[in-house]
Amino acid sequence: AQSVTQPDIHITVSEGASLELRCNYSYGATPYLFWYVQSPGQGLQLLLKYFSGDTLVQGIKGFEAEFKRSQSSFNLRKPSVHWSDAAEYFCAVGGEGGNNRKLIWGLGTSLAVNP
Amino acid sequence: EAQVTQNPRYLITVTGKKLTVTCSQNMNHEYMSWYRQDPGLGLRQIYYSMNVEVTDKGDVPEGYKVSRKEKRNFPLILESPSPNQTSLYFCASSLGDRDFSPLHFGNGTRLTVT
């Protein structure tokens, strides 16, 4: 069965530091992978997605993620964090058929940014 | 502005008192969905709709109803709310259900049932 694990429930970084949020998935075939961000008091917004091709994908707000099939991972990175990046980050995986109704969501990682 | 609008943002009610949370999108999206978000449980899908008059259960449909009479609206109905339905609810929409078109989320409705 498909599953998504975000090992870190909560992460705190200093403003200007680099960031990596981990996401591991379990899926038998090539997965479709997503990162969404939920800013305080807001709904979720798509940061980036991986469908195929280049394993390093660029997203909005200066984020990128790298798909590593051998490690079943899709980690989110940002070279320099801004205070406005404090939010909840969700990794999600989808399978064959491309159906949003079948997305599997991770439990989220809460990011705090120290000034 | 393209958006998904949920109302109300906050709602406190008592057990058994019927309530409706409205959701409206202005993007002509076919697919709409309701989620609840709870600490330690993440996002769980309640119901979804592929198009007008087409709805189906998600992972946690018990105690909820939905309808899709118009393309833009997808209200969530709690006929007899109970305290275990206290949660943060999100409505989402996408162009279609296929090809993983990006989901657009509303800002959420925080429901407390006492």
Side-chain angles (χ1 to χ4, degrees):
Chain A
Q2 297 176 62
S3 66
V4 178
T5 302
Q6 293 180 244
D8 304 304
I9 296 172
H10 186 85
I11 285 182
T12 299
V13 299
S14 297
E15 191 167 18
S18 63
L19 171 70
E20 183 170 34
L21 302 182
R22 297 183 292 162
C23 174
N24 296 103
Y25 68 90
S26 173
Y27 186 67
T30 299
Y32 299 83
L33 296 159
F34 307 83
W35 276 100
Y36 279 79
V37 61
Q38 182 183 15
S39 298
Q42 307 280 320
L44 283 74
Q45 179 185 23
L46 180 65
L47 274 178
L48 48 78
K49 61 187 178 186
Y50 171 78
F51 283 3
S52 64
D54 193 347
T55 56
L56 185 63
V57 293
Q58 303 297 320
I60 62 172
K61 303 178 190 263
F63 284 91
E64 67 179 25
E66 186 171 13
F67 170 58
K68 293 185 177 179
R69 185 188 300 276
S70 62
Q71 298 177 19
S72 298
S73 69
F74 188 56
N75 294 348
L76 182 71
R77 301 194 294 245
K78 187 169 185 177
S80 178
V81 170
H82 188 261
W83 64 266
S84 61
D85 293 324
E88 187 94 17
Y89 292 81
F90 292 91
C91 182
V93 64
E96 295 288 331
N99 298 320
N100 275 334
R101 67 183 185 274
K102 293 183 180 177
L103 278 177
I104 305 296
W105 296 87
L107 296 187
T109 296
S110 177
L111 174 66
V113 180
N114 286 334
Chain B
E1 180 189 352
Q3 60 186 0
V4 177
T5 303
Q6 290 179 232
N7 280 298
R9 289 294 306 272
Y10 300 91
L11 180 57
I12 301 174
T13 190
V14 296
T15 299
K17 186 176 181 182
K18 180 180 179 179
L19 65 91
T20 300
V21 183
T22 63
C23 173
S24 180
Q25 49 91 7
N26 62 0
M27 296 168 280
N28 201 35
H29 284 173
E30 290 190 348
Y31 179 80
M32 297 186 76
S33 179
W34 276 103
Y35 293 90
R36 60 178 290 174
Q37 183 180 22
D38 302 287
L41 296 176
L43 278 172
R44 295 180 291 169
Q45 186 169 248
I46 303 170
Y47 270 94
Y48 62 89
S49 170
M50 304 284 281
N51 213 325
V52 176
E53 302 292 1
V54 181
T55 63
D56 209 344
K57 297 176 181 178
D59 299 317
V60 288
E62 294 78 20
Y64 305 95
K65 285 176 56 177
V66 293
S67 68
R68 188 93 181 270
K69 294 184 171 57
E70 306 165 283
K71 199 171 188 178
R72 62 184 294 126
N73 296 323
F74 190 44
L76 180 69
I77 303 155
L78 285 71
E79 295 267 1
S80 183
S82 62
N84 65 11
Q85 293 179 298
T86 292
S87 186
L88 179 58
Y89 291 86
F90 287 102
C91 179
S93 73
S94 64
L95 194 60
D97 178 51
R98 295 300 185 118
D99 301 323
F100 290 120
S101 54
L103 286 165
H104 297 256
F105 284 80
N107 286 339
T109 295
R110 187 167 292 280
L111 172 65
T112 302
V113 183
T114 61

